[in-house]
């Protein structure tokens, strides 16, 4: 590719790729999944990347949920800038609880769209359809999901359309990615999987190792095709159940109803989306809208005193600390401890679909994620703390030739 002027997107500058770049967001990938699969001998290519490429630790965005992090990765900035801070929010202007997966809620352009506009060939494949429209905003290029793949896209992947609750949904993404690299050789490709397996299987478990072995085969193919590989995750994953195998949940709406009167406060769980079977809409991050006459300070100290609550912060403090958009969160933000989740009312969570003890995410405890490349870096100056949304910066600006 001829030398082209670097692109500036959302205040950050990116050099052009010297070979095709495949950025992979492995949904729910703790580093330990990779280490355990390598140790078990089922992921030799991951082993080669850890030894001969670059393997760095990074922090994801809190709330450690899928959409805020995917959007940070493709925009290079935190939710305070791009606006997507959950799957779901309370729109104060509209006075309604709404899904946040409409592209109109995205406040920043993507690096993908910017490269496509400047003449790069760009392709995006996601597992779940909920991300497709956001990732594909203003994008001139291929952009489709495994969940809603049409016949042409199914033929491309060499697979029929998989169930939305399956490991195959993610395999479809990799199969399509490899075929796209073989047939169309995009300059920039973004692949985003689903955390179905990680919600059920801990690092080193049989199903987890099988999933990483599957990924390993496709990543090795992309590497053999000459692509730069940049892999990160949207969040980690932890056990969230007690000794009895039942979810360790704090039901916040029930608590606030007891303290303030029924229905006076409104609890929003930004993990809520149409695919709640594997986590029952229980995660480690919640926000609540309080009635006007509520005493914020005393509410915060009462919430902070609840067993299992790690942080209870005001809107201003939480948005400053986690770089979030204040207008899309409530008056208080609550984050639970590593093995605890937050719910609304006990009766509002259908846990009948949970066929394995609950594993989930959303909190600070799921913030550590991998940043893995199949090439060494030449050093990353001026960065004390890497973020998952530095992945494009490292891949384009800081890898050795
Ligand atoms: Zn996720």
């Amino acid at each position: 590719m001829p030398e082209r002027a670097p692109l500036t997107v959302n205040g950050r500058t990116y050099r052009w790729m010297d070979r095709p770049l495949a950025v992979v967001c492995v949904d729910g990938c703790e580093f330990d999944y990779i280490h355990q699969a390598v140790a078990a001998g089922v992921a030799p290519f991951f082993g080669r990347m850890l030894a001969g490429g670059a393997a760095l630790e990074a922090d994801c965005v809190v709330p450690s949920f899928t959409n805020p992090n995917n959007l940070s990765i493709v925009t290079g900035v935190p939710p305070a800038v791009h606006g997507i801070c959950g799957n779901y929010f309370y729109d104060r202007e509209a006075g309604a609880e709404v899904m946040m997966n409409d592209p109109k809620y995205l406040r920043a352009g993507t690096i993908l769209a910017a490269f496509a506009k400047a003449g790069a060939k760009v392709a995006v494949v996601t597992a779940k359809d909920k991300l497709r429209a956001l990732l594909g905003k203003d994008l001139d290029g291929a952009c489709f999901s495994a969940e809603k793949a049409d016949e042409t896209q199914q033929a491309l992947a060499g697979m029929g359309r998989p169930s939305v609750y399956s490991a195959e949904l993610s395999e479809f993404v990799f199969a399509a990615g490899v075929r796209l690299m073989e047939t169309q050789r995009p300059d920039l490709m973004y692949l985003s999987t689903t955390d179905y397996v990680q919600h059920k299987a801990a690092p080193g478990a049989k199903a987890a190792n099988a999933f990483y072995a599957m990924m390993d085969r496709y990543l090795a193919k992309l590497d053999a095709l000459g692509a730069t590989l940049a892999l990160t995750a949207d969040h980690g994953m932890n056990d969230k159940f007690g000794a009895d195998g039942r979810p360790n949940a704090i039901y916040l709406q029930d608590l606030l109803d007891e303290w303030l009167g029924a229905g006076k406060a409104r609890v929003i769980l930004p993990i809520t989306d149409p695919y709640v079977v594997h986590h029952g809409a229980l995660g480690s991050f919640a926000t609540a809208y309080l009635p006007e006459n509520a005493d914020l300070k005393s509410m915060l100290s009462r919430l902070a005193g609840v067993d299992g609550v790690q942080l209870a912060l005001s809107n201003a403090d939480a948005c400053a600390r986690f770089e979030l958009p204040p207008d899309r969160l409530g008056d208080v933000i609550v984050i639970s401890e590593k093995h605890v989740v937050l719910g609304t009312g006990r009766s509002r969570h259908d846990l009948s679909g949970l066929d394995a003890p609950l594993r989930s995410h959303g909190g600070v405890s799921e913030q550590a994620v991998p940043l893995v490349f199949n090439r060494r870096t030449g050093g990353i100056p001026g960065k004390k703390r890497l973020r998952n949304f530095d992945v494009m910066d490292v891949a384009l600006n800081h890898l050795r030739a």
Side-chain angles (χ1 to χ4, degrees), residues 27-28 66 195 234-235 361:
D27 199 321
T66 300
D195 54 10
D234 53 350
H235 54 78
H361 52 96

Side-chain angles (χ1 to χ4, degrees), residues 379-396:
I380 304 159
K383 283 269 178 197
K384 269 208 292 264
R385 171 191 185 224
L386 279 169
R387 306 300 304 271
N388 59 349
F389 58 85
D390 291 324
V391 64
M392 300 267 198
D393 172 49
V394 176
L396 292 168

